[in-house]
Amino acid sequence: MANLSAILIAFGWSGIVVGIMMGGLMGMYAFKGPFRAPKGHENYTDLNRRMLRLAHIAFIMLPLISMLYGMCIDDLAVSYIYKYYAVICMMILSVGIPVLLIASCFYLPFKYVQVIPFSCGMYALVVMAIGRVSAL
């Protein structure tokens, strides 16, 4: 059996690196940076630019939440198979939401696919809640 907490914590740090790098790249055109803003990102309030900023933060915060989840997952009083799928679902959530936000900047219907990583995240959170409540 794999060490689920270690997997999620390593995954989380990797996601945070992506989020920080994304912020650095966005900073190259933000606030009249050295590069021109991409088409549709010229104004600070453009929807595409706001969605990209949201994806940047999601690439940091969702992996951070996954790391916190990973610190608790091994102690849950639920079957290993539920915990295993919950870890996979947390990884899908952490990558799926920001990637689909970015994709929505270029093709808006991608926003409807976000129900998949959202549902995965809900499954993982329900597993955590059941495990914590049953331990009381």
Side-chain angles (χ1 to χ4, degrees), residues 69-82:
Y69 193 95
M71 291 177 195
C72 301
I73 190 74
D74 289 333
D75 299 331
L76 285 186
V78 296
S79 171
Y80 179 82
I81 193 72
Y82 293 117

Side-chain angles (χ1 to χ4, degrees), residues 30-75:
F31 308 111
K32 301 191 190 272
F35 300 117
R36 284 185 140 162
K39 184 178 180 196
H41 297 247
E42 296 89 2
N43 290 328
Y44 190 74
T45 58
D46 285 339
L47 178 62
N48 287 345
R49 187 168 176 161
R50 290 191 338 240
M51 298 223 346
L52 205 55
R53 290 192 334 253
L54 181 61
H56 152 62
I57 295 303
F59 257 129
I60 295 171
M61 290 311 300
L62 290 173
L64 189 60
I65 293 167
S66 292
M67 291 169 64
L68 178 62
Y69 193 95
M71 291 177 195
C72 301
I73 190 74
D74 289 333
D75 299 331

Side-chain angles (χ1 to χ4, degrees), residues 69 89-90 92-93 115-126:
Y69 193 95
C89 283
M90 283 303 289
I92 291 169
L93 170 74
V115 69
I116 296 168
F118 170 80
S119 299
C120 287
M122 288 307 299
Y123 169 80
L125 292 174
V126 167

Side-chain angles (χ1 to χ4, degrees), residues 12-22 59-60:
W13 280 115
S14 301
I16 290 171
V17 168
V18 170
I20 297 295
M21 288 175 47
M22 186 176 170
F59 257 129
I60 295 171

